Amino acid sequence: QLLTDYYWPAFRAPIREAGALGVMCSYNAVNGLPACASPVMKAAREAWGFQGYVTSDTDSVADVWRAHRYKRTAEEASCVALREGGTDVDSGNTYYHSLLSGVRSGRCSISDVDRALFNTFRVRFKLGLFDPKAGNPYWQLGEADIGTAASRALNRHAAAASLVLLQNPTSRRDG
């Protein structure tokens, strides 16, 4: 219950309300499981109809075996992150160095890899990354489009709207 009440809302609102297509699992552990290897994000994908991809935070897949010692090898960490955690993209080198051997050893399957590729490429196709550059407005953006007055105003509004102020009246000192 605590997980759905406190951990999921940070992901649910951007996915369900704003249509986010990419989320990042983190370095921390949730209920004793490294976030990128935890079925939490996989369950959220199913519960919310998430059609995007999950990427690791830098190389937090490596942390599954190095820091958390949840798995003994990079191969095991890669496969558990892919299969159980639903981590489609490792933004480090752990998948690159270890995923193929994990598939060959049977720790995960080529269909697990295919699913991750499908999730990733679906977003790339939606963005038009395989369309001709001339017809894609995103390819027309340049340095002049960065840091504009409109984008700074939008950033200020987003920051102000996302602030949460907490108060603990029992710890207040009156005197």
Side-chain angles (χ1 to χ4, degrees):
Q1 185 64 38
L2 289 175
L3 187 64
T4 58
D5 289 344
Y6 295 104
Y7 193 77
W8 277 22
F11 293 96
R12 183 176 48 236
I15 291 169
R16 299 283 305 266
E17 297 170 25
L21 293 174
V23 296
M24 180 180 286
C25 56
S26 60
Y27 293 103
N28 66 305
V30 178
N31 290 336
L33 297 175
C36 289
S38 171
V40 168
M41 290 310 301
K42 196 172 182 180
R45 178 188 299 272
E46 294 166 9
W48 305 328
F50 179 54
Q51 297 292 307
Y53 66 92
V54 177
T55 187
S56 70
D57 189 347
T58 307
D59 198 4
S60 52
V61 172
D63 282 0
V64 171
W65 66 284
R66 285 187 181 148
H68 294 286
R69 301 197 192 301
Y70 179 68
K71 292 295 175 186
R72 296 172 65 185
T73 66
E75 180 182 294
E76 291 175 12
S78 293
C79 285
V80 75
L82 183 71
R83 189 185 65 250
E84 302 298 325
T87 303
D88 301 309
V89 177
D90 171 32
S91 60
N93 291 318
T94 305
Y95 279 5
Y96 177 78
H97 292 296
S98 307
L99 191 55
L100 181 58
S101 60
V103 170
R104 287 182 176 154
S105 71
R107 294 191 191 315
C108 52
S109 68
I110 198 67
S111 63
D112 295 322
V113 175
D114 287 345
R115 178 198 40 79
L117 289 170
F118 181 81
N119 293 335
T120 305
F121 278 102
R122 176 179 22 210
V123 173
R124 289 173 164 233
F125 276 104
K126 281 184 178 188
L127 289 171
L129 296 179
F130 299 102
D131 295 341
K133 288 182 179 181
N136 187 326
Y138 298 114
W139 287 107
Q140 310 311 312
L141 297 172
E143 195 171 324
D145 300 297
I146 300 170
T148 63
S151 68
R152 285 193 303 273
L154 179 60
N155 287 336
R156 277 192 297 279
H157 173 74
S162 67
L163 290 177
V164 176
L165 299 176
L166 302 175
Q167 179 181 7
N168 184 351
T170 61
S171 68
R172 178 186 266 167
R173 293 186 180 190
D174 294 324

